[in-house]
Amino acid sequence: MQNPYLIQNLKSQGLQYLLADTEAQKKALAAVPQKKSVPTIQSPAEQFKIKTLPKENPYKDKFPPLLKEKKSKKEPEKSAFEKNPLRQPVLPYDKWCPAWKQIQKQCKFSSEKPAHLSRQIIWTYAGLEYDLFTDTPSDKRRQLLNQIIKTLALPKGTHIFLPYRIINAEGKSEIAAEQEYSFFWSAIDLIRPRVLVVFGEQTISELDLPPLLPTQKHTLMPVTIYALDNIMLYTENESENTIMMNFLSANFKIFS
């Protein structure tokens, strides 16, 4: 047999004895030990590579995670009507500066905080600081306020005219505040009035109240706000004065 490929194939299968011509040669060839296949020896780097190959997760994307990542919820911004300046930090009377205590004496309200809502009605407007703290008060404003008090005819001591501005050392008007504390709202917290009457858009804005219209009523628990127009309007316009007087008289009957 001369075909080398066939000869090699027979040897690889252990059939080399078929190539013998005699029985003795067949037995001798059949007794030749077979070569065992030697396993390939892998290098440490190849072994490490095999061991660290990531296995594909058969359940990937089939089931949702048990715990979802919590997303931080942003609190919605409050509207102007939801904000309540009565809820801001206030200074107790014993921590008031001398200037604040001087205002308290001039406005003639108690330094003792009542246990319940008081019977007081607070009035404020831009310019009240000039009427109280300077030698040049407005006669027109004073006459108007006297007219209001006589018309309402409420018990003596009911009305408190409380400024939210003061006159500084340079003689200019500025909002009365100490750091983040407002004098006006600290005084409101001390007096605990049932009613606050506010004249003018400027005052409403500077006290951080909602954008109320003239003769509009709004409650900021526990105080009821009565909004009026600019105080000087009522000193110059008789019809507006009448509307304002009727509005106050109708709403303040229950306080008599």
Side-chain angles (χ1 to χ4, degrees):
M1 186 177 295
Q2 300 298 325
N3 190 326
Y5 297 103
L6 180 58
I7 293 171
Q8 181 64 29
N9 190 24
L10 290 173
K11 286 182 178 181
S12 65
Q13 297 181 47
L15 302 176
Q16 63 272 24
Y17 61 88
L18 296 177
L19 301 174
D21 297 326
T22 64
E23 286 298 326
Q25 288 178 340
K26 287 181 180 181
K27 287 181 181 181
L29 289 173
V32 175
Q34 303 293 320
K35 282 187 178 182
K36 294 183 180 180
S37 61
V38 180
T40 305
I41 299 175
Q42 296 174 327
S43 67
E46 290 175 326
Q47 292 176 0
F48 179 76
K49 185 177 179 182
I50 293 171
K51 288 179 182 179
T52 56
L53 282 176
K55 294 183 178 180
E56 184 68 24
N57 185 355
Y59 303 106
K60 185 180 179 182
D61 299 328
K62 289 188 177 180
F63 302 100
L66 295 178
L67 295 176
K68 291 185 177 179
E69 185 180 353
K70 290 183 179 180
K71 294 182 179 179
S72 58
K73 291 184 179 179
K74 206 173 184 179
E75 291 186 5
E77 189 176 347
K78 290 183 178 180
S79 69
F81 283 89
E82 291 174 321
K83 293 177 181 177
N84 189 343
L86 293 170
R87 299 290 179 263
Q88 65 180 291
V90 295
L91 274 179
Y93 181 79
D94 61 344
K95 294 184 179 179
W96 284 15
C97 63
W100 287 18
K101 290 184 178 180
Q102 183 61 33
I103 299 173
Q104 176 259 325
K105 290 177 182 177
Q106 288 184 259
C107 295
K108 299 178 182 178
F109 59 86
S110 175
S111 60
E112 298 291 331
K113 186 173 182 178
H116 305 286
L117 287 181
S118 67
R119 297 180 61 83
Q120 269 73 42
I121 295 174
I122 304 295
W123 302 75
T124 194
Y125 54 88
L128 178 56
E129 66 276 17
Y130 290 103
D131 294 342
L132 290 177
F133 309 136
T134 70
D135 298 329
T136 56
S138 167
D139 289 334
K140 287 185 177 181
R141 288 197 292 254
R142 284 195 168 183
Q143 289 173 10
L144 175 70
L145 295 172
N146 285 332
Q147 178 193 5
I148 292 173
I149 291 172
K150 287 179 181 178
T151 301
L152 296 178
L154 296 176
K156 187 178 180 181
T158 299
H159 306 286
I160 297 177
F161 293 91
L162 183 69
Y164 68 94
R165 286 178 160 268
I166 58 173
I167 306 298
N168 62 22
E170 288 79 29
K172 296 181 180 179
S173 172
E174 64 180 14
I175 294 175
E178 286 286 339
Q179 298 176 359
E180 74 271 27
Y181 300 105
S182 158
F183 160 75
F184 185 83
W185 293 115
S186 296
I188 292 291
D189 180 72
L190 176 65
I191 300 168
R192 299 197 68 188
R194 49 187 170 173
V195 170
L196 169 61
V197 183
V198 182
F199 287 92
E201 185 179 345
Q202 176 186 344
T203 304
I204 290 170
S205 174
E206 290 181 335
L207 289 178
D208 201 24
L209 292 169
L212 304 172
L213 297 173
T215 67
Q216 185 177 354
K217 184 168 63 173
H218 179 64
T219 299
L220 290 174
M221 291 300 294
V223 180
T224 301
I225 314 292
Y226 290 85
L228 298 174
D229 216 321
N230 188 295
I231 190 169
M232 295 305 293
L233 173 69
Y234 302 117
T235 68
E236 299 164 356
N237 189 311
E238 189 61 36
S239 62
E240 290 292 340
N241 185 303
T242 302
I243 293 171
M244 179 267 294
M245 289 293 186
N246 291 337
F247 170 73
L248 292 178
S249 298
N251 282 279
F252 287 11
K253 278 182 181 178
I254 58 173
F255 303 135
S256 300

